[in-house]
Amino acid sequence: MSVVAETPAPPYYAVIFTSLRTEEDDGYGAMAEKMVELAAVQPGFIGVESAHESLGITVSYWTDLESIKSWKANTEHLEAQSLGRERWYSSYKTRIAISASPPLKY
Amino acid sequence: MSVVAETPAPPYYAVIFTSLRTEEDDGYGAMAEKMVELAAVQPGFIGVESAHESLGITVSYWTDLESIKSWKANTEHLEAQSLGRERWYSSYKTRIAISASPPLKY
């Protein structure tokens, strides 16, 4: 179950992954779960939040850009990305953003 | 229905609003819909994506920080924020982030 992530004072990085699924489900759930577990043990990982409705949104938080690059290039993650493009997502977008510092008071 | 938002080349701003709901539903759906409609006609608004599962995630995109500040201070939005704190959300977090420019190639 996803909860509101604990994040440090800025700056840190957010990777916003938004996707629309195809009808195909073959292996998606298991892979999604595996990728969250694997991301969580990478250097620089802070936390992750996700929700899926008609749209799926996963936001992961990282200490620095190098850690994001390393995770993107992780062998198992590359395989998952490839399957995602070919099989599971009809459209998707990945955005990388740096938390504003100082943040607006919310 | 939420779709993958069209966003311009960086830089632009993302407001990541993550929330956990209370059991109380009184007026939530109507208010959430109204706020999306109202946000969409504000200066500087680019787009919005949202998904709700156990966690709710809404990411709105804006051209600049001033537009985000103005939207935060909008009278009807202030009322919705207040009701959200008092009634609808057991926990929530709002993060503001600037899209990385140049973005990583994804």
Side-chain angles (χ1 to χ4, degrees):
Chain A
M1 185 182 134
S2 202
V3 297
V4 178
E6 296 283 340
T7 42
Y12 55 87
Y13 286 77
V15 178
I16 305 165
F17 176 70
T18 312
S19 59
L20 282 171
R21 294 280 311 280
T22 57
E23 306 270 299
E24 182 151 355
D25 213 330
D26 184 27
Y28 171 75
M31 182 66 93
E33 201 172 310
K34 185 175 160 189
M35 284 305 113
V36 168
E37 285 170 11
L38 194 58
V41 296
Q42 301 305 306
F45 176 87
I46 296 172
V48 63
E49 298 170 336
S50 71
H52 301 80
E53 218 168 13
S54 60
L55 197 69
I57 304 178
T58 298
V59 188
S60 58
Y61 300 99
W62 302 83
T63 55
D64 61 289
L65 206 51
E66 281 311 308
S67 297
I68 296 171
K69 286 181 186 171
S70 298
W71 169 234
K72 175 157 174 47
N74 173 285
T75 306
E76 289 174 83
H77 188 202
L78 283 174
E79 188 186 344
Q81 291 169 60
S82 172
L83 285 169
R85 278 191 301 270
E86 292 163 17
R87 188 182 291 182
W88 294 314
Y89 301 122
S90 57
S91 74
Y92 67 90
K93 194 165 177 69
T94 306
R95 297 178 177 91
I96 297 178
I98 308 157
S99 60
S101 178
L104 283 180
K105 185 70 190 164
Y106 260 85
Chain B
M1 183 183 135
S2 203
V3 296
V4 178
E6 295 282 341
T7 43
Y12 55 86
Y13 286 77
V15 178
I16 306 165
F17 177 70
T18 313
S19 59
L20 282 172
R21 293 281 311 281
T22 57
E23 307 269 302
E24 183 150 355
D25 213 329
D26 185 27
Y28 172 76
M31 181 66 94
E33 202 171 309
K34 186 176 161 189
M35 285 305 113
V36 168
E37 285 171 9
L38 194 57
V41 297
Q42 301 304 306
F45 177 86
I46 297 171
V48 64
E49 298 170 335
S50 71
H52 301 82
E53 217 168 16
S54 60
L55 196 69
I57 304 178
T58 297
V59 188
S60 58
Y61 300 98
W62 302 83
T63 55
D64 60 289
L65 206 51
E66 281 310 309
S67 297
I68 296 171
K69 286 182 187 170
S70 298
W71 168 235
K72 174 158 173 48
N74 172 285
T75 306
E76 290 174 84
H77 189 201
L78 282 175
E79 188 185 343
Q81 291 168 59
S82 171
L83 285 169
R85 280 191 298 269
E86 291 163 16
R87 191 182 289 181
W88 293 314
Y89 300 122
S90 57
S91 73
Y92 67 91
K93 193 164 177 69
T94 306
R95 298 178 176 92
I96 297 179
I98 309 157
S99 61
S101 179
L104 282 180
K105 185 68 188 165
Y106 260 86

